[in-house]
Amino acid sequence: MKEFKKSYKLDNVCYDIRGPVMEAAERLEKEGHSIIKLNTGNPAHFGFSPPENMKQNIINNMERTEAYVASQGIASAREVILEDFLAKGFSGIDIDDIYLGNGVSELISMAVTALVNGGDEVLIPSPDYPLWTATVTLAGGKAVHYKCDESSDWQPDLKDLESHISDRTRAIVIINPNNPTGAVYSKSVIEGFIALARKYDLILLSDEIYDRILYDGDTHYSPAVLADDVFTITFNGLSKVYLAAGYRSGWMVLTGSRARTRDYREGLGILANMRLCGNTFAQLAIEAGFSEGIAAIGRLIEPAGRLHTQRNAIYDGISKIPGISCVKPKGALYLFPKLDGGQFNISDDEKFVLDFLMEKKILLVHGRGFNWNAPDHFRIVFLPPMEELLHVVEAMGDFLEGYRQK
Ligand SMILES: Cc1ncc(COP(=O)(O)O)c(C=O)c1O
């Protein structure tokens, strides 16, 4: 009998954050081992909790969650998002420019699917949050990676980016603050993106899901605030800043000329209508307002706050391990250390994280899972409490002492 095969469309689609190494971790769990899972930025898994006002608004309004709602999202939630964007300096927008979805993930898919024709190219950072590359590939486009420069605190290399622009290029993806590097882009880099978008008439797709998770008083710049003429789609959501990843809620806002984007918006409208609407529970969470959540994340990232302290501890601990170097993250929830290739002779970074999992029962993601092309990095999520992080540091030091790939 013939085998039921997956679609060829998935041939080059890769999302290793929940890939084969995670499957190995699940097998270990079934055998009774307890695994420290540092593969996803999932705050509630580590004792962080969404704002109380969001939870209460869902509980108090359960009866309003039962029906389909407007495909772009309920107006009261989009009003809250609009106010927040206006406070951040976005201009010329109203609630019709805002789309709510089941996480930024769904909106990335909608935004890319509505844009890309077969063979169209989208410029994506390397390393990246791999959903971007996977989505462009699945939509029949070509993900073209531009370099982020580790020796410049992982800032994007705009010369490299420009060298990849062709007549098939449609858009540039910006992930800022960055997952997996924790880089926060300087104002001049954002202005550089804008200049390239103007010069080559490209769309900016700006993933800002970590925009309020900044350390050391760093500032986040949105391209849409610095340039209201360039067509930009800005993405954000509840998963990180509001610590509510399981609510599956995100939003995007379209800025720039409305007239030039009429057809594209029609495409987005078709896709939004096809899936009827985003989940309604999360829309009630947004309706409750952002101020409580903004204050809470503010407390976590200040010098004595839990996220700030944990960022320092993991950075200090991991950087001290012989054979590892690391750029200190300025934002987000991740550390992206570099392994000395010569010392450990690593040719397969996935095998490295698998070996580490088997020996230490700690789950990480290898660097190539983020479309980084050398087998010399891995990512650590620094959400777990301090004792666990210190245990991870000790385990890594101990593991690497004797590690050498054949
Ligand atoms: C940069 C980036 N964008 C998007 C997402 C997906 O977010 P959501 O939970 O809203 O789908 C993540 C999740 O880790 C992310 O790191």
mmCIF file with all atom_site columns, all heavy atoms in Angstrom, residues 16-17 39 125-130 133 145 179-180 336 365-373 378-379:
data_model
loop_
_atom_site.group_PDB
_atom_site.id
_atom_site.type_symbol
_atom_site.label_atom_id
_atom_site.label_alt_id
_atom_site.label_comp_id
_atom_site.label_asym_id
_atom_site.label_entity_id
_atom_site.label_seq_id
_atom_site.pdbx_PDB_ins_code
_atom_site.Cartn_x
_atom_site.Cartn_y
_atom_site.Cartn_z
_atom_site.occupancy
_atom_site.B_iso_or_equiv
_atom_site.pdbx_formal_charge
_atom_site.auth_seq_id
_atom_site.auth_comp_id
_atom_site.auth_asym_id
_atom_site.auth_atom_id
_atom_site.pdbx_PDB_model_num
ATOM 1   N N   . ASP A 1 16  ? 13.045 24.240 13.838 1.00 0.00 ? 16  ASP A N   1
ATOM 2   C CA  . ASP A 1 16  ? 13.721 23.327 14.759 1.00 0.00 ? 16  ASP A CA  1
ATOM 3   C C   . ASP A 1 16  ? 13.548 23.675 16.236 1.00 0.00 ? 16  ASP A C   1
ATOM 4   O O   . ASP A 1 16  ? 13.986 22.925 17.110 1.00 0.00 ? 16  ASP A O   1
ATOM 5   C CB  . ASP A 1 16  ? 15.219 23.273 14.433 1.00 0.00 ? 16  ASP A CB  1
ATOM 6   C CG  . ASP A 1 16  ? 15.487 22.367 13.243 1.00 0.00 ? 16  ASP A CG  1
ATOM 7   O OD1 . ASP A 1 16  ? 14.572 21.597 12.886 1.00 0.00 ? 16  ASP A OD1 1
ATOM 8   O OD2 . ASP A 1 16  ? 16.580 22.442 12.661 1.00 0.00 ? 16  ASP A OD2 1
ATOM 9   N N   . ILE A 1 17  ? 12.902 24.836 16.517 1.00 0.00 ? 17  ILE A N   1
ATOM 10  C CA  . ILE A 1 17  ? 12.657 25.172 17.924 1.00 0.00 ? 17  ILE A CA  1
ATOM 11  C C   . ILE A 1 17  ? 11.794 24.074 18.562 1.00 0.00 ? 17  ILE A C   1
ATOM 12  O O   . ILE A 1 17  ? 11.906 23.765 19.732 1.00 0.00 ? 17  ILE A O   1
ATOM 13  C CB  . ILE A 1 17  ? 11.984 26.560 18.020 1.00 0.00 ? 17  ILE A CB  1
ATOM 14  C CG1 . ILE A 1 17  ? 13.000 27.629 17.581 1.00 0.00 ? 17  ILE A CG1 1
ATOM 15  C CG2 . ILE A 1 17  ? 11.456 26.831 19.413 1.00 0.00 ? 17  ILE A CG2 1
ATOM 16  C CD1 . ILE A 1 17  ? 12.456 29.031 17.532 1.00 0.00 ? 17  ILE A CD1 1
ATOM 17  N N   . ASN A 1 39  ? 13.896 25.677 25.208 1.00 0.00 ? 39  ASN A N   1
ATOM 18  C CA  . ASN A 1 39  ? 13.811 25.798 23.749 1.00 0.00 ? 39  ASN A CA  1
ATOM 19  C C   . ASN A 1 39  ? 12.800 26.835 23.289 1.00 0.00 ? 39  ASN A C   1
ATOM 20  O O   . ASN A 1 39  ? 12.863 27.271 22.155 1.00 0.00 ? 39  ASN A O   1
ATOM 21  C CB  . ASN A 1 39  ? 13.493 24.438 23.106 1.00 0.00 ? 39  ASN A CB  1
ATOM 22  C CG  . ASN A 1 39  ? 12.157 23.883 23.555 1.00 0.00 ? 39  ASN A CG  1
ATOM 23  O OD1 . ASN A 1 39  ? 11.791 24.025 24.719 1.00 0.00 ? 39  ASN A OD1 1
ATOM 24  N ND2 . ASN A 1 39  ? 11.430 23.270 22.656 1.00 0.00 ? 39  ASN A ND2 1
ATOM 25  N N   . PRO A 1 125 ? 16.835 38.400 8.327  1.00 0.00 ? 125 PRO A N   1
ATOM 26  C CA  . PRO A 1 125 ? 18.130 38.381 8.998  1.00 0.00 ? 125 PRO A CA  1
ATOM 27  C C   . PRO A 1 125 ? 18.644 36.963 9.247  1.00 0.00 ? 125 PRO A C   1
ATOM 28  O O   . PRO A 1 125 ? 17.860 36.031 9.401  1.00 0.00 ? 125 PRO A O   1
ATOM 29  C CB  . PRO A 1 125 ? 17.842 39.077 10.340 1.00 0.00 ? 125 PRO A CB  1
ATOM 30  C CG  . PRO A 1 125 ? 16.377 38.930 10.550 1.00 0.00 ? 125 PRO A CG  1
ATOM 31  C CD  . PRO A 1 125 ? 15.761 38.918 9.191  1.00 0.00 ? 125 PRO A CD  1
ATOM 32  N N   . SER A 1 126 ? 19.957 36.843 9.300  1.00 0.00 ? 126 SER A N   1
ATOM 33  C CA  . SER A 1 126 ? 20.581 35.603 9.754  1.00 0.00 ? 126 SER A CA  1
ATOM 34  C C   . SER A 1 126 ? 21.498 35.962 10.909 1.00 0.00 ? 126 SER A C   1
ATOM 35  O O   . SER A 1 126 ? 22.403 36.778 10.728 1.00 0.00 ? 126 SER A O   1
ATOM 36  C CB  . SER A 1 126 ? 21.388 34.964 8.635  1.00 0.00 ? 126 SER A CB  1
ATOM 37  O OG  . SER A 1 126 ? 22.201 33.917 9.147  1.00 0.00 ? 126 SER A OG  1
ATOM 38  N N   . PRO A 1 127 ? 21.270 35.393 12.107 1.00 0.00 ? 127 PRO A N   1
ATOM 39  C CA  . PRO A 1 127 ? 20.216 34.442 12.430 1.00 0.00 ? 127 PRO A CA  1
ATOM 40  C C   . PRO A 1 127 ? 18.835 35.115 12.491 1.00 0.00 ? 127 PRO A C   1
ATOM 41  O O   . PRO A 1 127 ? 18.747 36.325 12.632 1.00 0.00 ? 127 PRO A O   1
ATOM 42  C CB  . PRO A 1 127 ? 20.635 33.943 13.814 1.00 0.00 ? 127 PRO A CB  1
ATOM 43  C CG  . PRO A 1 127 ? 21.400 35.074 14.420 1.00 0.00 ? 127 PRO A CG  1
ATOM 44  C CD  . PRO A 1 127 ? 22.118 35.725 13.287 1.00 0.00 ? 127 PRO A CD  1
ATOM 45  N N   . ASP A 1 128 ? 17.792 34.260 12.414 1.00 0.00 ? 128 ASP A N   1
ATOM 46  C CA  . ASP A 1 128 ? 16.420 34.799 12.452 1.00 0.00 ? 128 ASP A CA  1
ATOM 47  C C   . ASP A 1 128 ? 15.554 34.002 13.430 1.00 0.00 ? 128 ASP A C   1
ATOM 48  O O   . ASP A 1 128 ? 15.964 32.944 13.914 1.00 0.00 ? 128 ASP A O   1
ATOM 49  C CB  . ASP A 1 128 ? 15.783 34.740 11.060 1.00 0.00 ? 128 ASP A CB  1
ATOM 50  C CG  . ASP A 1 128 ? 15.433 33.317 10.615 1.00 0.00 ? 128 ASP A CG  1
ATOM 51  O OD1 . ASP A 1 128 ? 15.929 32.337 11.214 1.00 0.00 ? 128 ASP A OD1 1
ATOM 52  O OD2 . ASP A 1 128 ? 14.658 33.184 9.643  1.00 0.00 ? 128 ASP A OD2 1
ATOM 53  N N   . TYR A 1 129 ? 14.363 34.528 13.684 1.00 0.00 ? 129 TYR A N   1
ATOM 54  C CA  . TYR A 1 129 ? 13.330 33.689 14.276 1.00 0.00 ? 129 TYR A CA  1
ATOM 55  C C   . TYR A 1 129 ? 12.789 32.871 13.106 1.00 0.00 ? 129 TYR A C   1
ATOM 56  O O   . TYR A 1 129 ? 12.241 33.442 12.144 1.00 0.00 ? 129 TYR A O   1
ATOM 57  C CB  . TYR A 1 129 ? 12.237 34.555 14.930 1.00 0.00 ? 129 TYR A CB  1
ATOM 58  C CG  . TYR A 1 129 ? 11.098 33.716 15.454 1.00 0.00 ? 129 TYR A CG  1
ATOM 59  C CD1 . TYR A 1 129 ? 11.325 32.778 16.450 1.00 0.00 ? 129 TYR A CD1 1
ATOM 60  C CD2 . TYR A 1 129 ? 9.823  33.825 14.928 1.00 0.00 ? 129 TYR A CD2 1
ATOM 61  C CE1 . TYR A 1 129 ? 10.296 31.973 16.917 1.00 0.00 ? 129 TYR A CE1 1
ATOM 62  C CE2 . TYR A 1 129 ? 8.785  33.035 15.390 1.00 0.00 ? 129 TYR A CE2 1
ATOM 63  C CZ  . TYR A 1 129 ? 9.037  32.110 16.388 1.00 0.00 ? 129 TYR A CZ  1
ATOM 64  O OH  . TYR A 1 129 ? 8.024  31.303 16.834 1.00 0.00 ? 129 TYR A OH  1
ATOM 65  N N   . PRO A 1 130 ? 12.956 31.530 13.133 1.00 0.00 ? 130 PRO A N   1
ATOM 66  C CA  . PRO A 1 130 ? 12.855 30.754 11.893 1.00 0.00 ? 130 PRO A CA  1
ATOM 67  C C   . PRO A 1 130 ? 11.473 30.709 11.254 1.00 0.00 ? 130 PRO A C   1
ATOM 68  O O   . PRO A 1 130 ? 11.337 30.296 10.103 1.00 0.00 ? 130 PRO A O   1
ATOM 69  C CB  . PRO A 1 130 ? 13.311 29.347 12.321 1.00 0.00 ? 130 PRO A CB  1
ATOM 70  C CG  . PRO A 1 130 ? 13.136 29.306 13.806 1.00 0.00 ? 130 PRO A CG  1
ATOM 71  C CD  . PRO A 1 130 ? 13.345 30.704 14.289 1.00 0.00 ? 130 PRO A CD  1
ATOM 72  N N   . THR A 1 133 ? 11.506 32.588 7.842  1.00 0.00 ? 133 THR A N   1
ATOM 73  C CA  . THR A 1 133 ? 12.054 31.860 6.696  1.00 0.00 ? 133 THR A CA  1
ATOM 74  C C   . THR A 1 133 ? 11.082 30.764 6.262  1.00 0.00 ? 133 THR A C   1
ATOM 75  O O   . THR A 1 133 ? 10.801 30.583 5.068  1.00 0.00 ? 133 THR A O   1
ATOM 76  C CB  . THR A 1 133 ? 13.426 31.251 7.084  1.00 0.00 ? 133 THR A CB  1
ATOM 77  O OG1 . THR A 1 133 ? 14.316 32.331 7.350  1.00 0.00 ? 133 THR A OG1 1
ATOM 78  C CG2 . THR A 1 133 ? 13.990 30.385 5.976  1.00 0.00 ? 133 THR A CG2 1
ATOM 79  N N   . HIS A 1 145 ? 18.908 35.552 3.024  1.00 0.00 ? 145 HIS A N   1
ATOM 80  C CA  . HIS A 1 145 ? 19.350 36.001 4.349  1.00 0.00 ? 145 HIS A CA  1
ATOM 81  C C   . HIS A 1 145 ? 20.414 37.078 4.272  1.00 0.00 ? 145 HIS A C   1
ATOM 82  O O   . HIS A 1 145 ? 21.354 36.968 3.495  1.00 0.00 ? 145 HIS A O   1
ATOM 83  C CB  . HIS A 1 145 ? 19.845 34.797 5.161  1.00 0.00 ? 145 HIS A CB  1
ATOM 84  C CG  . HIS A 1 145 ? 18.731 33.855 5.513  1.00 0.00 ? 145 HIS A CG  1
ATOM 85  N ND1 . HIS A 1 145 ? 18.537 32.653 4.892  1.00 0.00 ? 145 HIS A ND1 1
ATOM 86  C CD2 . HIS A 1 145 ? 17.716 33.996 6.404  1.00 0.00 ? 145 HIS A CD2 1
ATOM 87  C CE1 . HIS A 1 145 ? 17.454 32.075 5.389  1.00 0.00 ? 145 HIS A CE1 1
ATOM 88  N NE2 . HIS A 1 145 ? 16.933 32.870 6.300  1.00 0.00 ? 145 HIS A NE2 1
ATOM 89  N N   . ASN A 1 179 ? 15.367 38.025 18.226 1.00 0.00 ? 179 ASN A N   1
ATOM 90  C CA  . ASN A 1 179 ? 15.420 36.635 18.650 1.00 0.00 ? 179 ASN A CA  1
ATOM 91  C C   . ASN A 1 179 ? 16.143 35.916 17.520 1.00 0.00 ? 179 ASN A C   1
ATOM 92  O O   . ASN A 1 179 ? 15.693 36.013 16.380 1.00 0.00 ? 179 ASN A O   1
ATOM 93  C CB  . ASN A 1 179 ? 13.993 36.092 18.798 1.00 0.00 ? 179 ASN A CB  1
ATOM 94  C CG  . ASN A 1 179 ? 13.945 34.625 19.156 1.00 0.00 ? 179 ASN A CG  1
ATOM 95  O OD1 . ASN A 1 179 ? 14.963 34.019 19.436 1.00 0.00 ? 179 ASN A OD1 1
ATOM 96  N ND2 . ASN A 1 179 ? 12.742 34.056 19.145 1.00 0.00 ? 179 ASN A ND2 1
ATOM 97  N N   . PRO A 1 180 ? 17.283 35.283 17.720 1.00 0.00 ? 180 PRO A N   1
ATOM 98  C CA  . PRO A 1 180 ? 17.834 34.804 18.987 1.00 0.00 ? 180 PRO A CA  1
ATOM 99  C C   . PRO A 1 180 ? 18.961 35.632 19.604 1.00 0.00 ? 180 PRO A C   1
ATOM 100 O O   . PRO A 1 180 ? 19.442 35.272 20.668 1.00 0.00 ? 180 PRO A O   1
ATOM 101 C CB  . PRO A 1 180 ? 18.438 33.459 18.577 1.00 0.00 ? 180 PRO A CB  1
ATOM 102 C CG  . PRO A 1 180 ? 19.003 33.738 17.206 1.00 0.00 ? 180 PRO A CG  1
ATOM 103 C CD  . PRO A 1 180 ? 18.001 34.675 16.570 1.00 0.00 ? 180 PRO A CD  1
ATOM 104 N N   . PHE A 1 336 ? 22.749 33.982 22.857 1.00 0.00 ? 336 PHE A N   1
ATOM 105 C CA  . PHE A 1 336 ? 23.124 33.218 21.657 1.00 0.00 ? 336 PHE A CA  1
ATOM 106 C C   . PHE A 1 336 ? 24.642 33.043 21.624 1.00 0.00 ? 336 PHE A C   1
ATOM 107 O O   . PHE A 1 336 ? 25.353 33.726 20.877 1.00 0.00 ? 336 PHE A O   1
ATOM 108 C CB  . PHE A 1 336 ? 22.620 33.972 20.420 1.00 0.00 ? 336 PHE A CB  1
ATOM 109 C CG  . PHE A 1 336 ? 22.561 33.140 19.163 1.00 0.00 ? 336 PHE A CG  1
ATOM 110 C CD1 . PHE A 1 336 ? 21.825 31.961 19.112 1.00 0.00 ? 336 PHE A CD1 1
ATOM 111 C CD2 . PHE A 1 336 ? 23.224 33.546 18.009 1.00 0.00 ? 336 PHE A CD2 1
ATOM 112 C CE1 . PHE A 1 336 ? 21.753 31.207 17.939 1.00 0.00 ? 336 PHE A CE1 1
ATOM 113 C CE2 . PHE A 1 336 ? 23.163 32.805 16.834 1.00 0.00 ? 336 PHE A CE2 1
ATOM 114 C CZ  . PHE A 1 336 ? 22.419 31.629 16.802 1.00 0.00 ? 336 PHE A CZ  1
ATOM 115 N N   . VAL A 1 365 ? 18.368 24.960 21.758 1.00 0.00 ? 365 VAL A N   1
ATOM 116 C CA  . VAL A 1 365 ? 18.200 24.904 20.291 1.00 0.00 ? 365 VAL A CA  1
ATOM 117 C C   . VAL A 1 365 ? 19.541 25.266 19.655 1.00 0.00 ? 365 VAL A C   1
ATOM 118 O O   . VAL A 1 365 ? 20.214 26.207 20.091 1.00 0.00 ? 365 VAL A O   1
ATOM 119 C CB  . VAL A 1 365 ? 17.101 25.871 19.808 1.00 0.00 ? 365 VAL A CB  1
ATOM 120 C CG1 . VAL A 1 365 ? 16.908 25.729 18.293 1.00 0.00 ? 365 VAL A CG1 1
ATOM 121 C CG2 . VAL A 1 365 ? 15.787 25.611 20.529 1.00 0.00 ? 365 VAL A CG2 1
ATOM 122 N N   . HIS A 1 366 ? 19.917 24.501 18.637 1.00 0.00 ? 366 HIS A N   1
ATOM 123 C CA  . HIS A 1 366 ? 21.186 24.751 17.949 1.00 0.00 ? 366 HIS A CA  1
ATOM 124 C C   . HIS A 1 366 ? 21.082 25.957 17.027 1.00 0.00 ? 366 HIS A C   1
ATOM 125 O O   . HIS A 1 366 ? 19.996 26.264 16.505 1.00 0.00 ? 366 HIS A O   1
ATOM 126 C CB  . HIS A 1 366 ? 21.612 23.505 17.170 1.00 0.00 ? 366 HIS A CB  1
ATOM 127 C CG  . HIS A 1 366 ? 20.606 23.029 16.172 1.00 0.00 ? 366 HIS A CG  1
ATOM 128 N ND1 . HIS A 1 366 ? 19.364 22.547 16.542 1.00 0.00 ? 366 HIS A ND1 1
ATOM 129 C CD2 . HIS A 1 366 ? 20.640 23.005 14.818 1.00 0.00 ? 366 HIS A CD2 1
ATOM 130 C CE1 . HIS A 1 366 ? 18.692 22.223 15.459 1.00 0.00 ? 366 HIS A CE1 1
ATOM 131 N NE2 . HIS A 1 366 ? 19.440 22.500 14.398 1.00 0.00 ? 366 HIS A NE2 1
ATOM 132 N N   . GLY A 1 367 ? 22.225 26.608 16.774 1.00 0.00 ? 367 GLY A N   1
ATOM 133 C CA  . GLY A 1 367 ? 22.239 27.852 16.005 1.00 0.00 ? 367 GLY A CA  1
ATOM 134 C C   . GLY A 1 367 ? 21.700 27.734 14.600 1.00 0.00 ? 367 GLY A C   1
ATOM 135 O O   . GLY A 1 367 ? 21.034 28.648 14.105 1.00 0.00 ? 367 GLY A O   1
ATOM 136 N N   . ARG A 1 368 ? 21.974 26.592 13.934 1.00 0.00 ? 368 ARG A N   1
ATOM 137 C CA  . ARG A 1 368 ? 21.472 26.492 12.562 1.00 0.00 ? 368 ARG A CA  1
ATOM 138 C C   . ARG A 1 368 ? 19.949 26.420 12.510 1.00 0.00 ? 368 ARG A C   1
ATOM 139 O O   . ARG A 1 368 ? 19.353 26.677 11.469 1.00 0.00 ? 368 ARG A O   1
ATOM 140 C CB  . ARG A 1 368 ? 22.129 25.309 11.841 1.00 0.00 ? 368 ARG A CB  1
ATOM 141 C CG  . ARG A 1 368 ? 23.561 25.686 11.366 1.00 0.00 ? 368 ARG A CG  1
ATOM 142 C CD  . ARG A 1 368 ? 24.225 24.549 10.648 1.00 0.00 ? 368 ARG A CD  1
ATOM 143 N NE  . ARG A 1 368 ? 24.119 23.359 11.479 1.00 0.00 ? 368 ARG A NE  1
ATOM 144 C CZ  . ARG A 1 368 ? 23.944 22.126 11.002 1.00 0.00 ? 368 ARG A CZ  1
ATOM 145 N NH1 . ARG A 1 368 ? 23.881 21.902 9.732  1.00 0.00 ? 368 ARG A NH1 1
ATOM 146 N NH2 . ARG A 1 368 ? 23.846 21.100 11.837 1.00 0.00 ? 368 ARG A NH2 1
ATOM 147 N N   . GLY A 1 369 ? 19.316 26.113 13.644 1.00 0.00 ? 369 GLY A N   1
ATOM 148 C CA  . GLY A 1 369 ? 17.856 26.178 13.727 1.00 0.00 ? 369 GLY A CA  1
ATOM 149 C C   . GLY A 1 369 ? 17.323 27.588 13.550 1.00 0.00 ? 369 GLY A C   1
ATOM 150 O O   . GLY A 1 369 ? 16.133 27.805 13.345 1.00 0.00 ? 369 GLY A O   1
ATOM 151 N N   . PHE A 1 370 ? 18.237 28.572 13.616 1.00 0.00 ? 370 PHE A N   1
ATOM 152 C CA  . PHE A 1 370 ? 17.849 29.979 13.424 1.00 0.00 ? 370 PHE A CA  1
ATOM 153 C C   . PHE A 1 370 ? 18.426 30.525 12.113 1.00 0.00 ? 370 PHE A C   1
ATOM 154 O O   . PHE A 1 370 ? 18.677 31.727 11.991 1.00 0.00 ? 370 PHE A O   1
ATOM 155 C CB  . PHE A 1 370 ? 18.334 30.826 14.608 1.00 0.00 ? 370 PHE A CB  1
ATOM 156 C CG  . PHE A 1 370 ? 17.779 30.355 15.921 1.00 0.00 ? 370 PHE A CG  1
ATOM 157 C CD1 . PHE A 1 370 ? 18.502 29.492 16.721 1.00 0.00 ? 370 PHE A CD1 1
ATOM 158 C CD2 . PHE A 1 370 ? 16.512 30.731 16.340 1.00 0.00 ? 370 PHE A CD2 1
ATOM 159 C CE1 . PHE A 1 370 ? 17.985 29.020 17.921 1.00 0.00 ? 370 PHE A CE1 1
ATOM 160 C CE2 . PHE A 1 370 ? 15.989 30.263 17.527 1.00 0.00 ? 370 PHE A CE2 1
ATOM 161 C CZ  . PHE A 1 370 ? 16.733 29.409 18.327 1.00 0.00 ? 370 PHE A CZ  1
ATOM 162 N N   . ASN A 1 371 ? 18.643 29.594 11.186 1.00 0.00 ? 371 ASN A N   1
ATOM 163 C CA  . ASN A 1 371 ? 19.191 29.984 9.879  1.00 0.00 ? 371 ASN A CA  1
ATOM 164 C C   . ASN A 1 371 ? 20.530 30.713 9.994  1.00 0.00 ? 371 ASN A C   1
ATOM 165 O O   . ASN A 1 371 ? 20.809 31.638 9.239  1.00 0.00 ? 371 ASN A O   1
ATOM 166 C CB  . ASN A 1 371 ? 18.162 30.797 9.072  1.00 0.00 ? 371 ASN A CB  1
ATOM 167 C CG  . ASN A 1 371 ? 16.968 29.939 8.734  1.00 0.00 ? 371 ASN A CG  1
ATOM 168 O OD1 . ASN A 1 371 ? 17.096 28.932 8.050  1.00 0.00 ? 371 ASN A OD1 1
ATOM 169 N ND2 . ASN A 1 371 ? 15.808 30.296 9.264  1.00 0.00 ? 371 ASN A ND2 1
ATOM 170 N N   . TRP A 1 372 ? 21.302 30.291 10.948 1.00 0.00 ? 372 TRP A N   1
ATOM 171 C CA  . TRP A 1 372 ? 22.696 30.711 11.061 1.00 0.00 ? 372 TRP A CA  1
ATOM 172 C C   . TRP A 1 372 ? 23.506 29.621 10.374 1.00 0.00 ? 372 TRP A C   1
ATOM 173 O O   . TRP A 1 372 ? 23.291 28.441 10.639 1.00 0.00 ? 372 TRP A O   1
ATOM 174 C CB  . TRP A 1 372 ? 23.074 30.842 12.541 1.00 0.00 ? 372 TRP A CB  1
ATOM 175 C CG  . TRP A 1 372 ? 24.496 31.246 12.778 1.00 0.00 ? 372 TRP A CG  1
ATOM 176 C CD1 . TRP A 1 372 ? 25.479 30.484 13.348 1.00 0.00 ? 372 TRP A CD1 1
ATOM 177 C CD2 . TRP A 1 372 ? 25.091 32.512 12.467 1.00 0.00 ? 372 TRP A CD2 1
ATOM 178 N NE1 . TRP A 1 372 ? 26.648 31.198 13.404 1.00 0.00 ? 372 TRP A NE1 1
ATOM 179 C CE2 . TRP A 1 372 ? 26.435 32.454 12.865 1.00 0.00 ? 372 TRP A CE2 1
ATOM 180 C CE3 . TRP A 1 372 ? 24.608 33.678 11.876 1.00 0.00 ? 372 TRP A CE3 1
ATOM 181 C CZ2 . TRP A 1 372 ? 27.314 33.512 12.702 1.00 0.00 ? 372 TRP A CZ2 1
ATOM 182 C CZ3 . TRP A 1 372 ? 25.476 34.741 11.713 1.00 0.00 ? 372 TRP A CZ3 1
ATOM 183 C CH2 . TRP A 1 372 ? 26.816 34.660 12.131 1.00 0.00 ? 372 TRP A CH2 1
ATOM 184 N N   . ASN A 1 373 ? 24.428 29.996 9.473  1.00 0.00 ? 373 ASN A N   1
ATOM 185 C CA  . ASN A 1 373 ? 24.938 28.925 8.612  1.00 0.00 ? 373 ASN A CA  1
ATOM 186 C C   . ASN A 1 373 ? 26.163 28.177 9.118  1.00 0.00 ? 373 ASN A C   1
ATOM 187 O O   . ASN A 1 373 ? 26.628 27.259 8.461  1.00 0.00 ? 373 ASN A O   1
ATOM 188 C CB  . ASN A 1 373 ? 25.161 29.430 7.176  1.00 0.00 ? 373 ASN A CB  1
ATOM 189 C CG  . ASN A 1 373 ? 26.173 30.552 7.158  1.00 0.00 ? 373 ASN A CG  1
ATOM 190 O OD1 . ASN A 1 373 ? 26.848 30.766 8.167  1.00 0.00 ? 373 ASN A OD1 1
ATOM 191 N ND2 . ASN A 1 373 ? 26.277 31.270 6.051  1.00 0.00 ? 373 ASN A ND2 1
ATOM 192 N N   . PHE A 1 378 ? 24.455 28.264 19.862 1.00 0.00 ? 378 PHE A N   1
ATOM 193 C CA  . PHE A 1 378 ? 23.227 27.673 20.407 1.00 0.00 ? 378 PHE A CA  1
ATOM 194 C C   . PHE A 1 378 ? 22.471 28.768 21.141 1.00 0.00 ? 378 PHE A C   1
ATOM 195 O O   . PHE A 1 378 ? 23.035 29.841 21.417 1.00 0.00 ? 378 PHE A O   1
ATOM 196 C CB  . PHE A 1 378 ? 23.544 26.482 21.331 1.00 0.00 ? 378 PHE A CB  1
ATOM 197 C CG  . PHE A 1 378 ? 24.357 26.831 22.550 1.00 0.00 ? 378 PHE A CG  1
ATOM 198 C CD1 . PHE A 1 378 ? 23.741 27.060 23.771 1.00 0.00 ? 378 PHE A CD1 1
ATOM 199 C CD2 . PHE A 1 378 ? 25.744 26.936 22.480 1.00 0.00 ? 378 PHE A CD2 1
ATOM 200 C CE1 . PHE A 1 378 ? 24.491 27.383 24.904 1.00 0.00 ? 378 PHE A CE1 1
ATOM 201 C CE2 . PHE A 1 378 ? 26.502 27.254 23.611 1.00 0.00 ? 378 PHE A CE2 1
ATOM 202 C CZ  . PHE A 1 378 ? 25.869 27.488 24.819 1.00 0.00 ? 378 PHE A CZ  1
ATOM 203 N N   . ARG A 1 379 ? 21.198 28.527 21.422 1.00 0.00 ? 379 ARG A N   1
ATOM 204 C CA  . ARG A 1 379 ? 20.396 29.556 22.095 1.00 0.00 ? 379 ARG A CA  1
ATOM 205 C C   . ARG A 1 379 ? 19.906 29.046 23.448 1.00 0.00 ? 379 ARG A C   1
ATOM 206 O O   . ARG A 1 379 ? 19.444 27.909 23.563 1.00 0.00 ? 379 ARG A O   1
ATOM 207 C CB  . ARG A 1 379 ? 19.180 29.928 21.239 1.00 0.00 ? 379 ARG A CB  1
ATOM 208 C CG  . ARG A 1 379 ? 18.437 31.143 21.790 1.00 0.00 ? 379 ARG A CG  1
ATOM 209 C CD  . ARG A 1 379 ? 17.112 31.377 21.089 1.00 0.00 ? 379 ARG A CD  1
ATOM 210 N NE  . ARG A 1 379 ? 16.110 30.403 21.500 1.00 0.00 ? 379 ARG A NE  1
ATOM 211 C CZ  . ARG A 1 379 ? 14.820 30.502 21.235 1.00 0.00 ? 379 ARG A CZ  1
ATOM 212 N NH1 . ARG A 1 379 ? 14.368 31.523 20.505 1.00 0.00 ? 379 ARG A NH1 1
ATOM 213 N NH2 . ARG A 1 379 ? 13.969 29.584 21.641 1.00 0.00 ? 379 ARG A NH2 1
#
